[in-house]
Amino acid sequence: MSGEIIDLAVIGAGPAGMAAATVAADLGLDVTVFDENPAPGGQIYRGIEAVATKRASDLAMLGPAYEAGKTIVSAFRASKAKHQPNTSVWLVQKDRQLGIASGGRASMVQARRILIASGAQERPVPIPGWTLPGVMLAGATQGLLKSAGMVPSGPVVLAGNGPLLYQLGAQLAAAGAKVTALLETEARYGAALQHLPGAIASGGYLAKGLGLISAIRKAGVPIRRNVTGLKAIGKDHVEAVEFAANGRAWRLDCEVLCLHQGVVSNAQLTLAIPAKHEWNEAQRCWRPVTDAWGNTDLEGIAVAGDCGGIGGAEAAAHAGRIAACEAARALGKIDAPQRDTRASGDRSAWERHLRIRPFLDALYPPSRAIAVPADDVTLCRCEEVTAGEVRAAVRQGGTGPNQVKSFTRTGMGPCQGRMCALTVSEVIADQLGKSMAEVGTYRVRFPIKPLTVGELASLE
Ligand SMILES: Cc1cc2nc3c(=O)[nH]c(=O)nc-3n(C[C@H](O)[C@H](O)[C@H](O)COP(=O)(O)OP(=O)(O)OC[C@H]3O[C@@H](n4cnc5c(N)ncnc54)[C@H](O)[C@@H]3O)c2cc1C
């Protein structure tokens, strides 16, 4: 460790982390933002600076919500906050030491406060054949589109539910991809209806969603609803997708199948420290328990943005600014009334943006048949463990994900449980007739990112 102590270490340069760092630096804190990506932007604004300067013609295809990232990124660049790109945070301790790795070397950093703004990740979509090459999560396809302008050359099918699927459909259609169909697995309009007033009050989200659906339809992409029994078919690569809809069986040829069932909080860091978490039934994921300022139960460690509960990019930016005001108060730069005044605009905007969530959560729940798949479906891709093997481990006395992990090795591969944790717990909960809150999740251990022996050895 260098001996230097920074005021505020921010983990993640997405909208939450960038907005937090900009405000915190403005309030006089010494701030460093660590992010494993090469440039600021996070998931939604991935590669925005490079696209705006080198591929400006792609901005129209990626849409106005993406282009909006230019403002927040340039404010962050113009601030006094320091940015350490290509740096992964593999350890966070209760005494606010961080373990970071960059360029093949690891080091420790001491901070007075830590803001975890690690964002969201896609929910796993374990259907039969999902491990075939050519089957991708929608966000990964979108990541390639944003960062490298890569567009699938063969036929593409999108399947699942959630706003990102429609966003990707509109972007791929605008990019000239051959999108054969969008297969919607679940949309509960009846359940969502009661939340319509909140959705309307949240701003332009409904109009944005309808605009995406209309763009997909205008591009001639059929949208099939109430799709069940999704299967990716192929030998060495996905060749087709099979499903049932409108009372009949379908088969569509494709070279790329993009799956999506919404995003969930990326809580690996907060689970590993560990901060206190709760099961969010509406979003069907774990989230750290926080107060109104993003503070966790751990002294000086706060969260902002989607890692604290899915709220979307704009809510994330407001939450980041709110957390920055609290950091400045906690470190004596402003007092509580000044914090409250400075954060009040962000707080009301944050609350307004969150009003869309109950509508979206009710409209697009993850499909039960996918969340709790049949015995022959692989749940843990790294260790190639099937749902049937997890069920067998439960029959042998495994009462939760940690016992099942030691029986079957689920969650012990390179992704460290990110991709299987939710499904493994869903399968166990279903078999034992218990709730997810009762069954729990993996005990996450540091390092939460792969660390080489060379990197470890480089630690001073
Ligand atoms: C794949 C994907 C694609 C999405 N695309 C869209 C979209 O097109 N439109 C839309 O409205 N919403 C999209 N979303 C949702 C959107 O990303 C979020 O609502 C918004 O970006 C949340 O902002 P955030 O700042 O909380 O997190 P993010 O934008 O996710 O930023 C988190 C940052 O933290 C970094 N990070 C995480 N862990 C570590 C670590 N241990 N060490 C170092 N860095 C770390 C990540 O690299 C990332 O840059 C997407 C979500 C996902 C998962």
Side-chain angles (χ1 to χ4, degrees):
M1 197 158 60
S2 66
E4 183 202 0
I5 303 178
I6 54 179
D7 288 338
L8 179 64
V10 179
I11 304 167
M18 289 188 291
T22 306
V23 168
D26 186 44
L27 289 170
L29 298 186
D30 166 30
V31 187
T32 302
V33 182
F34 302 93
D35 195 296
E36 56 201 353
N37 283 310
Q43 296 284 11
I44 180 163
Y45 308 131
R46 182 179 292 279
I48 180 74
E49 292 170 307
V51 173
T53 51
K54 296 182 194 141
R55 293 164 37 215
S57 58
D58 282 354
L59 285 173
M61 172 268 285
L62 291 167
Y66 177 73
E67 191 169 359
K70 283 197 302 193
T71 312
I72 190 165
V73 174
S74 33
F76 171 56
R77 289 285 195 199
S79 78
K80 289 195 176 135
K82 297 181 202 90
H83 177 219
Q84 269 193 233
N86 300 311
T87 303
S88 58
V89 177
W90 49 270
L91 169 76
V92 172
Q93 294 185 163
K94 286 183 184 167
D95 64 359
R96 298 178 296 282
Q97 273 196 68
L98 289 88
I100 61 170
S102 182
R105 294 189 68 79
S107 55
M108 301 296 292
V109 175
Q110 179 71 57
R112 293 193 174 85
R113 275 187 76 89
I114 295 177
L115 180 65
I116 300 177
S118 54
Q121 63 165 72
E122 281 186 273
R123 187 188 299 281
V125 192
I127 61 163
W130 75 308
T131 53
L132 280 169
V135 181
M136 300 171 73
L137 288 179
T141 315
Q142 195 200 42
L144 291 172
L145 197 61
K146 288 174 181 171
S147 57
M150 281 176 74
V151 182
S153 55
V156 185
V157 173
L158 310 179
N161 70 2
L164 183 56
L165 199 66
Y166 289 95
Q167 173 83 68
L168 178 65
Q171 289 169 331
L172 283 177
K178 294 175 209 142
V179 185
T180 319
L182 190 152
L183 311 177
E184 188 180 79
T185 47
E186 193 113 16
R188 298 193 185 164
Y189 294 98
L193 205 59
Q194 59 173 310
H195 303 293
L196 193 60
I200 293 168
S202 70
Y205 288 103
L206 287 181
K208 183 184 167 195
L210 292 172
L212 294 175
I213 294 173
S214 146
I216 292 168
R217 287 199 189 286
K218 269 195 200 139
V221 178
I223 299 176
R224 305 231 172 271
R225 309 224 185 248
N226 300 315
V227 164
T228 57
L230 271 177
K231 274 186 202 157
I233 308 293
K235 199 162 167 259
D236 305 319
H237 189 277
V238 65
E239 291 159 18
V241 54
E242 290 183 353
F243 58 97
N246 305 330
R248 57 164 277 206
W250 297 77
R251 182 187 165 103
L252 294 177
D253 289 342
C254 62
E255 284 180 18
V256 174
L257 172 61
C258 300
L259 300 173
H260 185 70
Q261 285 224 105
V263 298
V264 297
S265 295
N266 172 7
Q268 290 291 102
L269 274 170
T270 45
L271 282 168
I273 305 172
K276 190 172 173 200
H277 284 69
E278 64 186 4
W279 174 250
N280 181 333
E281 184 61 29
Q283 301 193 336
R284 293 204 73 75
C285 66
W286 295 94
R287 67 171 295 274
V289 175
T290 61
D291 67 10
W293 298 95
N295 294 307
T296 68
D297 62 321
L298 305 174
E299 180 65 33
I301 302 182
V303 302
D306 275 5
C307 69
I310 302 303
E314 295 194 56
H318 293 297
R321 291 186 197 106
I322 292 168
C325 293
E326 166 65 352
R329 184 213 55 83
L331 296 176
K333 298 288 180 190
I334 54 176
D335 59 22
Q338 287 169 320
R339 171 200 66 181
D340 296 352
T341 307
R342 173 101 193 211
S344 70
D346 281 298
R347 188 170 293 288
S348 39
W350 179 61
E351 287 167 356
R352 181 166 50 78
H353 284 293
L354 288 184
R355 295 196 69 186
I356 185 70
R357 288 316 313 182
F359 178 83
L360 290 176
D361 295 339
L363 182 62
Y364 296 127
S367 154
R368 196 73 195 136
I370 297 176
V372 185
D375 278 355
D376 57 344
V377 176
T378 301
L379 301 192
C380 171
R381 297 191 300 195
C382 303
E383 297 292 326
E384 299 185 350
V385 181
T386 62
E389 288 170 292
V390 168
R391 289 190 178 101
V394 174
R395 281 195 296 275
Q396 285 163 23
T399 55
N402 293 301
Q403 284 105 330
V404 167
K405 183 177 181 180
S406 41
F407 287 11
T408 64
R409 292 194 54 82
T410 54
M412 289 194 188
C415 93
Q416 294 169 288
R418 273 183 196 80
M419 258 301 134
C420 64
L422 279 174
T423 324
V424 167
S425 289
E426 291 273 16
V427 168
I428 297 170
D430 179 68
Q431 199 173 345
L432 295 176
K434 289 187 172 178
S435 68
M436 285 289 275
E438 287 171 303
V439 165
T441 188
Y442 293 140
R443 205 172 299 114
V444 181
R445 306 273 193 211
F446 289 117
I448 61 131
K449 296 274 167 182
L451 197 65
T452 65
V453 174
E455 284 170 331
L456 257 186
S458 71
L459 266 177
E460 289 156 19

